[in-house]
């Protein structure tokens, strides 16, 4: 066997809660394959606190450009507010670094095109954090569905019913198109419907509704969608921040079994259940049990998948067309909701107002400066 490549030199951009709570533990778990060499934050006090928590010889910078010039990292982890993702991802790619960025990777399909162009020019790759794909339970369910072992997928439900109060939206960048890209469709439910797409494959058509029922935001606080997949399955998708009883759920009814995941912010094997159809023999259903290895959905699991792809010389999961498909679904949901018309996959191309912004310039939804 060929020796494993040297440890990747990693920089983090943003040192807030998602980086300290998600990315830093992931780096520690993969310390044999990564070395944290730099951190960037415009807040010097927060940067200093992060460097102290990270330990080791982590260089600190208040400018991403200065860090890229001085450090030339192999991999950049981005955990800043969404409006900065496109610019920072492109800068890292141009410096030759791979990127693993918090969701959403960017705020529109037009911004995604900029990232794709930077990938093509540099040969580096940018992946978006969708950690729910990477737990062992999700991998097992996808394999069973894709192999046909559970029968043809027929009906699915995808539910992100969470609760956020007015204090949550007091943070200036939240609930605004220019800085968050949208409401719970972009910022909350995107994890669950990304997992749904991961399980069921390409979608074909979306019909949707969205509303502002409680919060005084530019974007929606609830959306719902009906989805037809290329394989013929029909699904419902609900994205809410108005729900006192918080739950995240994905359910897929196949011809021979129902597979269901119920959790909140992360899952383990025990969060997945399989219910066989009446005609299924018990010994066949017994083989569907979740695997012995219990890998929780996490930044740690996704970072491992990215490093595995790098070592193999392959495009990492959650990048390229894979990342674009989930962003396109968000744009299609908004277009369907705001126009009242069904949207087909591939329909939103350059020149379509929903290609350049998730609000599509709609007079009832776009900010005044874009109306």
């Amino acid at each position: 066997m060929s020796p494993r490549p040297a440890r990747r030199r990693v920089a983090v951009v943003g040192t807030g809660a998602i980086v300290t709570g998600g990315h830093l533990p992931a780096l520690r778990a993969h310390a044999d394959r990564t070395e944290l060499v730099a951190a960037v934050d415009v807040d010097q006090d927060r940067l200093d606190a992060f460097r102290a928590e990270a330990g080791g010889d982590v260089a600190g910078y208040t400018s991403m450009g200065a860090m890229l010039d001085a450090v030339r990292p192999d991999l950049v982890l981005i955990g800043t507010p969404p409006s900065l993702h496109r610019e920072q991802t492109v800068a890292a790619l141009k410096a030759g670094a791979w990127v693993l960025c918090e969701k959403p990777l960017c705020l529109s399909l037009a911004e995604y095109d900029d990232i794709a162009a930077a990938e093509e020019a540099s040969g580096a790759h940018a992946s978006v954090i969708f950690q729910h794909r990477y737990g062992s339970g999700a991998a097992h369910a996808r394999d069973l569905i894709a192999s046909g072992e559970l029968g043809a997928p027929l009906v699915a439900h995808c539910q992100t019913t969470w609760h956020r109060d007015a204090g949550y939206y007091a943070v200036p960048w939240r609930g605004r198109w220019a800085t968050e890209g949208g409401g719970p469709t972009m910022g909350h439910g995107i994890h669950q419907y990304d997992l749904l797409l991961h399980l069921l494959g390409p979608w074909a058509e979306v019909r949707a509704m969205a509303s502002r029922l409680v919060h005084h935001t530019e974007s929606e606080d609830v959306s719902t969608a009906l989805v037809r997949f290329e394989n013929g399955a029909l699904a419902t998708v609900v994205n809410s921040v108005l729900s006192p009883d918080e739950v995240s759920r994905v359910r897929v009814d196949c011809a021979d079994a129902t597979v269901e995941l119920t959790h909140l912010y992360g899952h383990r094997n025990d969060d997945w259940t399989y219910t066989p159809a009446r005609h299924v023999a018990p010994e066949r259903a017994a083989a569907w049990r979740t695997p012995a290895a219990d890998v929780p959905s996490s930044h740690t699991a996704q970072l491992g998948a990215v490093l595995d792809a790098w070592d193999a010389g392959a495009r990492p999961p959650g990048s390229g067309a894979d990342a674009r498909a989930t962003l396109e679904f968000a744009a299609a949901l908004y277009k369907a909701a705001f126009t009242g018309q069904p949207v087909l996959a591939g329909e939103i191309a350059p020149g379509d107002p929903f290609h350049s912004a998730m609000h599509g310039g709609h007079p009832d939804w776009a900010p005044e400066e874009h109306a």
Side-chain angles (χ1 to χ4, degrees), residues 191-239:
H191 279 298
Q192 249 58 239
Y193 63 72
D194 174 76
L195 178 56
L196 182 72
L197 299 178
H198 187 60
L199 295 174
L200 290 185
W203 59 273
E205 178 183 352
V206 176
R207 299 167 186 254
M209 289 190 237
S211 191
R212 285 183 292 252
L213 297 181
V214 173
H215 295 293
H216 298 290
T217 56
E218 288 182 350
S219 53
E220 84 291 357
D221 55 16
V222 61
S223 69
T224 64
L226 301 176
V227 187
R228 187 188 308 277
F229 284 82
E230 283 188 3
N231 61 19
L234 298 181
T236 63
V237 176
V238 179
N239 309 295

Side-chain angles (χ1 to χ4, degrees), residues 154-205:
L154 302 172
V155 183
H157 306 278
C158 178
Q159 174 185 351
T160 304
T161 42
W162 294 357
H163 190 271
R164 298 294 183 265
D165 61 16
Y168 176 84
Y169 286 104
V171 176
W173 58 263
R174 288 178 177 154
R176 297 178 59 228
W177 295 107
T179 49
E180 193 172 19
T185 306
M186 278 286 274
H188 303 84
I190 194 168
H191 279 298
Q192 249 58 239
Y193 63 72
D194 174 76
L195 178 56
L196 182 72
L197 299 178
H198 187 60
L199 295 174
L200 290 185
W203 59 273
E205 178 183 352

Side-chain angles (χ1 to χ4, degrees), residues 25-84:
L27 289 169
R28 286 171 172 161
H30 293 288
D32 61 327
R33 308 173 73 183
T34 64
E35 177 188 7
L36 179 60
V37 295
V40 180
D41 203 301
V42 295
D43 185 321
Q44 186 68 55
D45 291 340
R46 188 167 57 204
L47 176 62
D48 291 343
F50 175 82
R51 293 173 66 201
E53 181 176 350
D57 188 18
V58 179
Y61 297 86
T62 55
S63 161
M64 182 177 177
M67 181 276 291
L68 291 172
D69 288 341
V71 177
R72 309 302 293 186
D74 300 312
L75 173 64
V76 175
L77 308 180
I78 296 176
T80 52
S83 62
L84 302 175

